[in-house]
Amino acid sequence: MSYLEVSGVKKVYTTRFSTNKVEALRNVNFTVEQGEYVAIMGESGSGKTTLLNILAALDKPTAGNVILDGKDFSTIKEADVATFRRENLGFVFQEFNLLDTLSLEDNIFLPLVLEGKSVGEMKQLLTPIAERLGITDLLYKYPYEVSGGQKQRAACARAIITNPKIILADEPTGALDSKSTDELLRLFDEINKMGQTILMVTHSVKAASVAKRVLFIKDGEVFHQIYRGNDSEEAFYQKISDTLTLLATGGDRR
């Protein structure tokens, strides 16, 4: 069995003031192996955000299954969802989602506080991560005192400090300038090389070209996928661009 298995996932919304039904996801099927780095791309409205919300256990599919490391999401009791999410999933968001009233260190500690870890345990876990991410000297600063790239590094530290089974990244470079984007993508590459499984939703061809595989969503289904293999980032970038052009011009599934 694959590490993450998404099988026949469908999501239908009923609009609030009518009986009209909107099919956000039609029939999504894919698997992710442990240690993979996968990007998900598609035009606005293709179903990427809906899919990410289901993978994050923030929403439930109308039909189909999501299984992570043998655990079927449909078997998780409502009262246990938050705990499951905290213990198994790491999140990196476009807007960082850091609390301005807490230092970077305390922001990073939040998921560990919820797990009931002691201060000593938390500091022991953070020290090597902060060194690796280059934020040791920033830990006592507040989010409003550091750059966007530094905020995103802190957000990455918060995502990996619980040793999650998978990191879900939602447009992680969307609020960054080009330099900070380059830094974050190098960081994601390093985290992945350490064995961390990453699934990233992005509009950015540049961000996707650092992944090892790209899934393209169209009209609520996986339209196509490409593997990086031995390609350089530049060659993979071109393949991704060509596939997006095919999507935009109504090309057939390949």
Side-chain angles (χ1 to χ4, degrees):
M1 181 183 285
S2 296
Y3 196 55
L4 174 68
E5 189 170 346
V6 179
S7 176
V9 166
K10 178 179 181 180
K11 183 65 182 181
V12 179
Y13 294 102
T14 303
T15 52
R16 179 181 277 182
F17 299 112
S18 73
T19 56
N20 292 340
K21 292 186 176 181
V22 177
E23 194 173 48
L25 297 174
R26 186 172 299 167
N27 181 32
V28 176
N29 298 280
F30 67 91
T31 59
V32 176
E33 300 303 324
Q34 188 170 10
E36 260 203 292
Y37 183 175
V38 179
I40 296 178
M41 302 191 80
E43 296 179 320
S44 295
S46 61
K48 300 190 306 299
T49 300
T50 300
L51 176 60
L52 192 70
N53 286 341
I54 289 171
L55 297 178
L58 294 168
D59 200 357
K60 292 184 177 180
T62 306
N65 298 91
V66 177
I67 301 171
L68 176 62
D69 196 20
K71 181 73 172 179
D72 190 328
F73 281 24
S74 65
T75 66
I76 304 169
K77 294 177 183 175
E78 200 67 45
D80 298 331
V81 169
T83 301
F84 172 83
R85 197 182 299 129
R86 190 171 65 245
E87 292 178 349
N88 294 277
L89 308 174
F91 299 94
V92 180
F93 304 95
Q94 178 176 340
E95 296 297 338
F96 322 122
N97 283 26
L98 299 174
L99 300 174
D100 270 342
T101 52
L102 298 179
S103 67
L104 295 186
E105 181 180 70
D106 287 340
N107 269 285
I108 295 165
F109 282 163
L110 269 177
L112 299 179
V113 170
L114 294 170
E115 283 183 14
K117 300 277 189 193
S118 70
V119 173
E121 286 178 293
M122 292 191 290
K123 286 186 178 291
Q124 194 172 8
L125 287 168
L126 177 56
T127 299
I129 292 172
E131 286 175 2
R132 198 161 60 236
L133 303 191
I135 56 172
T136 302
D137 296 337
L138 302 173
L139 291 176
Y140 298 108
K141 290 185 178 290
Y142 288 81
Y144 55 82
E145 295 179 310
V146 300
S147 70
Q150 290 166 335
K151 286 180 191 175
Q152 201 59 296
R153 282 173 176 266
C156 286
R158 182 184 56 193
I160 65 176
I161 199 166
T162 57
N163 193 27
K165 288 188 165 68
I166 189 167
I167 284 181
L168 301 173
D170 184 12
E171 299 285 359
T173 62
L176 302 178
D177 59 31
S178 59
K179 183 185 175 190
S180 296
T181 292
D182 289 342
E183 288 177 1
L184 181 70
L185 294 178
R186 270 198 302 274
L187 194 59
F188 267 41
D189 190 44
E190 287 171 24
I191 291 169
N192 175 244
K193 283 174 179 170
M194 286 157 37
Q196 178 66 61
T197 310
I198 301 174
L199 189 67
M200 172 177 63
V201 167
T202 183
H203 279 99
S204 166
V205 177
K206 183 173 187 177
S209 65
V210 180
K212 304 298 186 290
R213 175 163 58 116
V214 182
L215 299 173
F216 298 89
I217 303 259
K218 182 178 180 181
D219 300 330
E221 295 183 87
V222 176
F223 171 81
H224 187 50
Q225 64 176 329
I226 56 176
Y227 290 83
R228 180 171 165 183
N230 295 319
D231 285 346
S232 64
E233 277 184 37
E234 293 76 13
F236 199 37
Y237 183 104
Q238 191 57 53
K239 278 187 182 177
I240 295 167
S241 297
D242 292 344
T243 305
L244 288 173
T245 300
L246 184 73
L247 277 168
T249 55
D252 294 328
R253 185 184 275 101
R254 295 190 283 168

